[in-house]
Amino acid sequence: MRYLVTGGAGFIGSHIVEALVARGDEVVVLDDFSTGKRENLAGVLSRIELIEGSICDLATVQHACRGVDVVLHQAALTSVPRSVENPLETHAVNVDGTLNVLLAARQAKVRRVVVASSAAVYGQSPELPKTESMRPEPLSPYGVTKYVAELYAQVFGRAYGLENVSLRYFNVFGPRQDARSPYSGVLSKFCTALLAGEPPTIYGDGTQSRDFVYVENVVQANLLACQAPDVSGLTFNIGTGRRVSLQEVLDSLTHIAGTAVSPKHLPPRAGDILHSQADISRAQHYLGYRPQVSFEEGLRRTWAWYRQHSAAD
Ligand code: UD2
């Protein structure tokens, strides 16, 4: 099988690419390296076809889709605050870019498109856990763009028969998550702070909780979504079904790291939700999704990666 991974040089995309290459599939990566990095693909560069270009350019996407069986669409601007500051830019990449991917996939007679969506589509509603049948109430332009991407994918199924599956990622963490932006995932922030000997920052009292899902589980969900029968047009929560508080996260991490630190507490971040947790029963039922790597094991692997990485810098 021939796969196109858009955003294949990014955090999640590069892990998907590695898994596909490891099982012997043909892989085309389309990435504009705006946030993705060539070094994320260092282990597989000689075994993939790498196209440097943007999903915002239809001709480039058409070129990338030639002969492809399945598209895994991971390319996006993923920052919620950036989307609040500049909704047009996030819309152009996440909505117009997705439309290009769907158009090119349809033209190339791609069998199925798997779209990376987000728990951000749920927004502020306090009900937990989140089930896919809840009405999306995004809080940010980013959440809107992810919801629109799902809707476009579904419409391409209804109007043109293009099979599609959308995966709503919860708080994904693991090696290669970029820690440099002020809005990077909290685990990448905690790891880099501990390695620098600085106190990690907790916004609020640390009782807020998230459904942290190790990146390898997200890869598994993507691979299953490429093949599962009778799932076209469906959206799936991809988390673990469990939520962990930030204080617990820090306690587990300092335990693994063998250090004792007192976090710096700052006021809660504007717009933060208190708790997030996925109901993953739909993904379990239709995709056969079973998170294989526990939060604790994921944390150990993530810490080991950041430690090695900082030593190499
Ligand atoms: C996640 C996604 C986001 C969107 C959103 C939907 C990530 C990185 N972001 O945002 O794309 O899908 O979910 O709801 O997965 N925090 C600290 N200290 C830090 C950094 C963060 O205390 O140094 C707190 C932060 O205030 C929040 C929690 O940790 O309460 C998680 O923050 P995050 O930025 O990792 O992810 P989140 O849930 O805001």
Side-chain angles (χ1 to χ4, degrees):
M1 292 266 282
R2 187 171 165 89
Y3 291 83
L4 167 63
V5 184
T6 69
F11 161 47
I12 299 171
S14 63
H15 285 277
I16 294 174
V17 171
E18 280 181 340
L20 292 169
V21 168
R23 65 178 201 189
D25 284 302
E26 264 181 67
V27 183
V28 182
V29 168
L30 174 62
D31 204 298
D32 67 356
F33 295 105
S34 55
T35 54
K37 296 190 199 111
R38 214 169 276 269
E39 71 207 51
N40 286 345
L41 294 169
V44 291
L45 262 185
S46 61
R47 286 182 285 168
I48 59 170
E49 190 180 322
L50 177 59
I51 301 171
E52 183 167 353
S54 169
I55 55 168
C56 295
D57 182 55
L58 179 59
T60 302
V61 191
Q62 284 168 328
H63 168 66
C65 275
R66 268 187 293 197
V68 163
D69 299 295
V70 176
V71 176
L72 291 141
H73 177 39
Q74 309 296 312
L77 288 186
T78 59
S79 165
V80 173
R82 184 170 171 180
S83 81
V84 175
E85 281 156 28
N86 192 343
L88 272 179
E89 177 195 54
T90 298
H91 184 98
V93 176
N94 295 6
V95 177
D96 299 344
T98 297
L99 198 47
N100 283 338
V101 170
L102 293 167
L103 282 166
R106 176 190 166 221
Q107 281 167 357
K109 299 199 172 15
V110 163
R111 195 171 52 72
R112 184 176 290 184
V113 177
V114 178
V115 174
S117 184
S118 165
V121 302
Y122 291 114
Q124 192 68 295
S125 73
E127 293 133 271
L128 290 176
K130 305 294 184 196
T131 57
E132 294 87 345
S133 56
M134 286 176 179
R135 199 168 72 95
E137 289 180 79
L139 273 176
S140 63
Y142 171 75
V144 173
T145 65
K146 286 292 170 179
Y147 186 43
V148 173
E150 292 180 3
L151 293 177
Y152 264 128
Q154 288 162 359
V155 162
F156 268 65
R158 290 187 207 112
Y160 312 118
L162 178 63
E163 286 189 23
N164 63 91
V165 178
S166 296
L167 303 179
R168 292 178 177 168
Y169 300 161
F170 279 65
N171 286 67
V172 188
F173 73 101
R176 303 191 196 124
Q177 189 166 32
D178 197 344
R180 283 172 308 184
S181 141
Y183 306 108
S184 297
V186 64
L187 269 165
S188 66
K189 288 283 186 205
F190 280 1
C191 288
T192 46
L194 289 187
L195 283 162
E198 290 161 6
T201 300
I202 290 188
Y203 300 108
D205 62 5
T207 57
Q208 72 264 46
S209 62
R210 296 290 185 272
D211 188 332
F212 290 100
V213 56
Y214 186 64
V215 65
E216 209 168 283
N217 298 322
V218 176
V219 172
Q220 183 209 23
N222 274 277
L223 299 187
L224 291 166
C226 294
Q227 279 161 6
D230 307 321
V231 292
S232 186
L234 293 180
T235 57
F236 295 98
N237 288 340
I238 302 302
T240 64
R242 171 185 167 204
R243 60 190 171 88
V244 184
S245 78
L246 272 207
Q247 189 56 56
E248 287 173 294
V249 168
L250 190 56
D251 290 347
S252 303
L253 192 61
T254 50
H255 180 72
I256 290 167
T259 51
V261 289
S262 301
K264 183 169 76 181
H265 281 274
L266 289 180
R269 247 175 18 185
D272 259 11
I273 53 170
L274 208 46
H275 304 296
S276 174
Q277 184 181 3
D279 179 331
I280 58 167
S281 45
R282 188 192 275 187
Q284 286 174 319
H285 179 76
Y286 285 93
L287 302 179
Y289 167 67
R290 306 272 182 280
Q292 299 290 320
V293 183
S294 68
F295 171 69
E296 290 76 12
E297 175 58 21
L299 213 50
R300 274 190 285 277
R301 295 188 197 177
T302 304
W303 170 251
W305 185 85
Y306 280 101
R307 201 177 45 182
Q308 198 184 9
H309 200 74
S310 84
D313 278 347

